[in-house]
Amino acid sequence: MPPADTGASVTDRAAASPQSSPDSSTAAAPDPEAGKLRPGGPGYRRMSFALFAAGVATFALLYSTQALLPAISADLGVSPDQASWTVSAATFGLALGVIPLSAVSERFGRRTLMMWSLAVAALLAMLVPFAPSLGVLIALRGIQGVALAGLPASAMAFLAEEVRAKALVAAIGLFVAGNSIGGMSGRIVTGWVAQAWGWRAALAAVGVLAVVCAVAFRLLVPKARHFVSRSVGPRALARTLGSHLADPLLRRLYAIGGLFMTVFGAVYTVIGYRLVSEPFNLPQGIVGSIFVVYLVGTVSSAAAGKLVARVGRRGALYLAVGTTSTGLLLTLSASVGAVLAGLILITAGFFAGHAVASSSVSRTAKTARAQASALYQCAYYVGSSLGGALGAVAFHAVGWEGTVLLGLAAMLGAASITLYATRKAVAERRLLHLEKAA
């Protein structure tokens, strides 16, 4: 998934650079990109590997308990809706932390915040396997989510400040690839380790992975050379956030992102319970390996741009809603093949919808795009938290059909918002046409 860009713009940074002296007016203006990292240049490869390691650690930790929920429920004697809070607490903690930590990064630096975030999250990861009760486990996961918020709050701004503009897309792509691989591999590793040695050993394995990634990040990440510290006061931050929330289009985009993530959080939090029970009875390792379908999301999010070019943003959202809804209905089948096909469609639809909504936020916000993106991240992870918690409640009360019904309701909400926007756009075009005719 894409992280929030919470830094000042490249233009702002360039404006803060020293200007040429009055008596050298005939000299060429200094190149603001001159000292930045570029492919093949010193530091670029180290920076790329460092951010890749950070991405792997962040998403391996964030969803580390998701594939283990059936094992946690069985061992601690708790229901699915109770165990699901080990996932929802982490994502909710990240949602709470991403906006204030974006302001912290403006004062103390992106690199510093990322190093501390990874260090604290990795330390907590080594404590999580020893949680004596569900309550302690949930509390540790919530704190871990807040710590992890420092990564999406800083990574995009760090890259924008330190990497040349022409190389920025490739650098961001590698970081996002780390997110995807971390989210997928963390679930797969925990599934197989839990099958052999139990869920606590699986969480310990993820903790070791996080420590390795945190050390690699600290050793590899180059020093920030273009960061300019500035304070972002609570009042200024509140005014900026308020102006974004007052924009009707941005509010719709935040809601759409949250609704898509509600489906995704519900499905992947509960699917393990469905697959380990009748009529499937799959082992924990196989259930963890189901998350390999995340690779479909990499393809669908990359293809979203071409889709928008063909059918427009609202058309792409309709297709994403339809694809996700079809996938939800397919998972009602008692066939493993049909359920897998349903998960593929849900994943493809979710990532396409998320790509369209998140990119539209940056396109819509004319000022303070960093905070606009941070608000989207907040809505996105609140949706994940609610989806995981409510999906598990529905599953515990009704069964898998209840989780599917929740997902379909969320997609109906996303479709309704998109339809409202379509009708509004049509009405505005019609009015404009009448005004021109008059």
Side-chain angles (χ1 to χ4, degrees):
M1 86 223 64
D5 174 1
T6 53
S9 68
V10 174
T11 303
D12 294 336
R13 300 300 182 202
S17 62
Q19 302 299 313
S20 51
S21 61
D23 59 353
S24 60
S25 57
T26 57
D31 181 7
E33 300 271 284
K36 294 192 174 185
L37 300 173
R38 58 180 176 79
Y44 181 84
R45 182 172 296 180
R46 290 180 55 202
M47 179 277 303
S48 297
F49 282 122
L51 269 294
F52 180 82
V56 169
T58 300
F59 281 79
L61 289 174
L62 188 61
Y63 294 103
S64 59
T65 62
Q66 196 170 60
L68 303 174
L69 294 179
I72 292 173
S73 287
D75 185 52
L76 299 182
V78 297
S79 62
D81 55 315
Q82 292 173 315
S84 71
W85 277 102
T86 63
V87 180
S88 295
T91 53
F92 191 63
L94 193 151
L96 287 177
V98 68
I99 292 175
L101 285 179
S102 72
V104 171
S105 78
E106 297 283 1
R107 175 66 179 85
F108 296 101
R110 330 296 184 189
R111 181 177 180 269
T112 300
L113 181 59
M114 288 190 289
M115 285 193 299
W116 277 104
S117 292
L118 274 179
V120 173
L123 176 63
L124 289 168
M126 301 307 295
L127 299 177
V128 163
F130 302 100
S133 65
L134 181 67
V136 174
L137 179 59
I138 290 172
L140 286 173
R141 292 284 291 151
I143 299 170
Q144 195 174 47
V146 174
L148 287 171
L151 264 296
S154 306
M156 291 295 100
F158 177 79
L159 290 172
E161 290 164 358
E162 303 300 328
V163 177
R164 291 192 179 189
K166 290 184 178 180
L168 187 58
V169 173
I172 290 174
L174 193 58
F175 176 65
V176 173
N179 295 167
S180 176
I181 291 173
M184 179 185 69
S185 61
R187 292 166 171 93
I188 294 174
V189 168
T190 55
W192 286 106
V193 173
Q195 183 173 315
W197 296 290
W199 65 271
R200 293 183 186 272
L203 289 179
V206 175
V208 171
L209 172 65
V211 169
V212 171
C213 288
V215 171
F217 179 82
R218 177 64 182 84
L219 294 175
L220 292 172
V221 66
K223 292 183 178 180
R225 299 184 182 278
H226 301 274
F227 171 72
V228 178
S229 176
R230 67 187 183 94
S231 296
V232 179
R235 290 184 179 179
L237 183 61
R239 283 196 300 271
T240 299
L241 298 178
S243 67
H244 289 319
L245 291 173
D247 186 320
L249 179 53
L250 284 175
R251 288 202 304 269
R252 293 197 293 269
L253 291 171
Y254 297 151
I256 288 172
L259 288 168
F260 267 104
M261 194 54 169
T262 297
V263 177
F264 203 64
V267 167
Y268 279 102
T269 296
V270 178
I271 192 64
Y273 289 102
R274 175 161 166 74
L275 294 176
V276 299
S277 59
E278 295 288 346
F280 306 107
N281 296 316
L282 296 179
Q284 185 69 56
I286 297 296
V287 171
S289 297
I290 290 293
F291 290 94
V292 76
V293 300
Y294 261 47
L295 293 175
V296 174
T298 304
V299 176
S300 68
S301 58
K306 294 181 180 179
L307 185 62
V308 168
R310 288 191 174 188
V311 299
R313 292 180 181 273
R314 286 184 294 272
L317 286 173
Y318 286 129
L319 287 174
V321 167
T323 301
T324 304
S325 300
T326 302
L328 285 167
L329 294 174
L330 271 177
T331 61
L332 293 170
S333 171
S335 163
V336 173
V339 172
L340 181 59
L343 290 175
I344 289 172
L345 290 178
I346 291 168
T347 304
F350 160 74
F351 273 101
H354 166 52
V356 174
S358 60
S359 63
S360 297
V361 168
S362 296
R363 179 173 176 265
T364 301
K366 303 304 180 186
T367 59
R369 288 186 173 89
Q371 280 67 41
S373 183
L375 277 171
Y376 179 84
Q377 290 286 315
C378 184
Y380 179 84
Y381 284 110
V382 166
S384 177
S385 302
L386 291 177
L390 295 177
V393 168
F395 179 79
H396 184 61
V398 183
W400 180 250
E401 294 80 3
T403 304
V404 169
L405 186 61
L406 172 68
L408 291 173
M411 287 296 89
L412 178 61
S416 299
I417 293 170
T418 308
L419 179 61
Y420 169 80
T422 301
R423 296 181 65 178
K424 190 172 184 292
V426 170
E428 288 175 352
R429 283 199 299 268
R430 187 175 298 164
L431 179 61
L432 182 62
H433 177 72
L434 290 173
E435 288 176 351
K436 287 183 177 180

